Amino acid sequence: MRYSRQRELVLRQVQSRCDHPTADDIYLTIRDDCPGLSLGTVYRNLNGLVEMGRVRRVSMPGMADRFDRTLTDHDHLYCTCCGRVEDVQLDKAPIEQAIASRPDLSIQRYSLNLYGLCSACREAARS
């Protein structure tokens, strides 16, 4: 894939954020810096960056895809109060054991999405 200023702006936007932005979030942030930019162009560039392994797609059923700068293995928590998506590190040993106990299946990969309260909303609920 050849270089484009638009792709570079999209990539920089994902890499500079830890809030797992949607394509709409990215578009609204960079549209003033890039006249003629369309939401479709942002989607195309995000898809290309995912295919290139430069960003990670975070899919939550029934919601817009989010994009993550962290490429290492981890899971996500979707806050049912504020809508924030946070990275979560969990012990995968029990899941790996469950997969290993099913030799009749050929599982290539899996993702785990958690739904609940983020640390800020949990703290606010306590107050």
Side-chain angles (χ1 to χ4, degrees):
M1 210 173 214
R2 64 188 178 100
Y3 173 84
S4 84
R5 179 173 181 268
Q6 294 168 332
R7 185 176 310 108
E8 187 63 32
L9 287 170
V10 169
L11 177 61
R12 256 192 268 147
Q13 192 55 220
V14 174
Q15 290 178 334
S16 70
R17 297 172 67 155
C18 58
D19 64 343
H20 302 81
T22 64
D24 286 337
D25 296 333
I26 294 167
Y27 171 73
L28 292 173
T29 303
I30 64 175
R31 69 180 175 187
D32 292 338
D33 294 333
C34 191
L37 180 71
S38 70
L39 183 57
T41 299
V42 172
Y43 273 105
R44 274 191 302 283
N45 281 293
L46 284 167
N47 289 330
L49 291 166
V50 168
E51 288 174 17
M52 294 167 57
R54 302 287 304 272
V55 300
R56 181 177 174 177
R57 182 186 319 274
V58 177
S59 296
M60 298 274 183
M63 296 176 218
D65 286 345
R66 307 284 188 114
F67 295 89
D68 194 348
R69 66 184 184 176
T70 306
L71 302 176
T72 55
D73 186 38
H74 66 282
D75 301 301
H76 296 94
L77 169 86
Y78 174 79
C79 182
T80 56
C81 182
C82 71
R84 181 178 180 175
V85 175
E86 288 188 359
D87 291 343
V88 178
Q89 292 290 339
L90 297 173
D91 177 13
K92 301 282 179 79
I95 296 170
E96 300 295 334
Q97 290 171 354
I99 291 171
S101 74
R102 295 294 310 266
D104 56 315
L105 303 176
S106 177
I107 297 173
Q108 297 171 342
R109 63 186 174 88
Y110 66 90
S111 66
L112 180 63
N113 292 328
L114 306 166
Y115 299 84
L117 298 180
C118 68
S119 53
C121 289
R122 185 169 182 234
E123 192 61 38
R126 286 184 176 173
S127 301

